[in-house]
Amino acid sequence: MVRGPELRVAVAGGYGVGLTMQLPRFPQPGETVTDGVLSSGHGGKGSNQAVGAARLGAEVSLLSAVGSDAAGTDAVAMWAVEGVDAGAVLRAAEATMTGFILVDAAGENCIAIAPGALGSLQNAHAEAFRSRIAGADIVLVSLEIPLAVAVRVLEIAAEEGVPTILNPAPAPGALPASVWRHVTYLTPNRSEALALLGGPPRSTPELAADLARLTGGIVILTLGDEGAIVASAADQVAIDPVPAAAVVDTTGAGDAFNAALAVALAAGVEPVAAARWAAQAGSYSVAHAGALPGLPRRADLGELPHAGPTP
């Protein structure tokens, strides 16, 4: 596939080695569950999103950090194969981030993370990434990297006039109010939305409306097998779920969704149509074991919707 120079995505986020154990069910505190199947692979939200966008036709640059260890070397080699520009990725003294992922028989997951090298990223690294941000059509940021660095990337994008997507994962709780003026699109799931807002539980339409009022931007609330909601201060549109061929592993579904959303928005597709296309990517992802194998290519999703207003 030929990547057009008009479609550029800059991504800031984490890379990590994913150690995945598939189990019949999740253990309870103090309990040992046997009959697990162990696998390992490339992971991290930023890396997954960068690879996902590259597979869908974008020219992608990544800001992240890996260790000066074998895992870091493997990551750099993988990005070269996938066509991701990793020239801004820091090689740090600390170990490469590692995530421990448990997946049950229903395909649901829980994850524990040791950030390692990602903690070495500083605002100076965001400044060094400025030229790639300025040359992008959209900037996609997730929160496995230090919050101050993520915020600085969003600020630089605003200074350079580039729209942004903030995928607030892992959920940090409430963010400083000053962040929102730099966020064009916000893509939380239900639990992340609750963490951002605080307060009592509420319905998903209420979550979406409250986030749209808080941020002043466009909120794309992802709801797993219930689809998504695209909300602004003016209205909401429900995005129908795309049935998956099978539910094998939900680990990378959000990353697949965000990558496809970024590519569609970078191409000028309106948010509702972009979210519908992204929902196809999320559905494709959950039918595959492992985050990287579940990231679709353009042929897996079909062509992008036409740019312009959604019918």
Side-chain angles (χ1 to χ4, degrees):
M1 173 173 47
V2 177
R3 293 186 172 92
E6 74 284 356
L7 191 60
R8 297 188 179 96
V9 178
V11 178
Y15 169 85
V17 178
L19 299 176
T20 300
M21 183 172 292
Q22 294 179 307
L23 293 166
R25 60 182 175 81
F26 295 134
Q28 299 299 310
E31 180 188 18
T32 299
V33 175
T34 60
D35 296 327
V37 177
L38 180 66
S39 61
S40 64
H42 301 287
K45 293 183 180 300
S47 177
N48 290 343
Q49 291 167 5
V51 171
R55 288 187 181 180
L56 292 173
E59 292 185 2
V60 181
S61 297
L62 175 64
L63 174 64
S64 191
V66 295
S68 297
D69 51 17
T73 299
D74 289 346
V76 172
M78 179 273 291
W79 291 322
V81 170
E82 295 286 351
V84 173
D85 168 20
V89 173
L90 173 68
R91 297 297 298 269
E94 293 82 1
T96 298
M97 182 182 81
T98 301
F100 296 91
I101 306 158
L102 299 182
V103 181
D104 71 6
E108 294 299 322
N109 69 80
C110 58
I111 304 171
I113 293 172
L118 291 179
S120 298
L121 277 175
Q122 300 178 8
N123 283 359
H125 300 114
E127 293 293 345
F129 198 53
R130 180 182 287 269
S131 64
R132 292 173 171 89
I133 293 171
D137 297 297
I138 200 159
V139 176
L140 172 56
V141 178
S142 55
L143 298 179
E144 287 171 336
I145 59 178
L147 181 59
V149 179
V151 170
R152 186 61 193 133
V153 170
L154 294 168
E155 291 172 347
I156 291 170
E159 292 164 8
E160 298 292 344
V162 180
T164 60
I165 301 170
L166 175 59
N167 177 220
L175 291 173
S178 59
V179 170
W180 300 124
R181 66 178 181 268
H182 308 305
V183 176
T184 315
Y185 305 96
L186 181 70
T187 60
N189 62 22
R190 203 185 322 251
S191 64
E192 292 155 0
L194 283 167
L196 290 171
L197 287 168
R202 61 206 88 177
S203 70
T204 49
E206 289 172 330
L207 280 175
D210 288 350
L211 275 175
R213 282 192 290 269
L214 174 68
T215 66
I218 295 174
V219 175
I220 301 165
L221 179 62
T222 59
L223 303 171
D225 61 4
E226 297 176 28
I229 294 175
V230 178
S232 66
D235 63 4
Q236 294 187 12
V237 177
I239 304 300
D240 291 335
V242 177
V247 179
V248 176
D249 184 357
T250 62
T251 304
D255 297 333
F257 183 99
N258 277 276
L261 182 73
V263 170
L265 293 172
V269 177
E270 291 297 311
V272 169
R276 288 178 177 143
W277 199 64
Q280 295 181 49
S283 176
Y284 179 92
S285 172
V286 301
H288 298 78
L292 209 64
L295 297 172
R297 302 181 188 276
R298 183 71 67 86
D300 299 313
L301 302 186
E303 288 305 309
L304 277 162
H306 293 296
T310 303

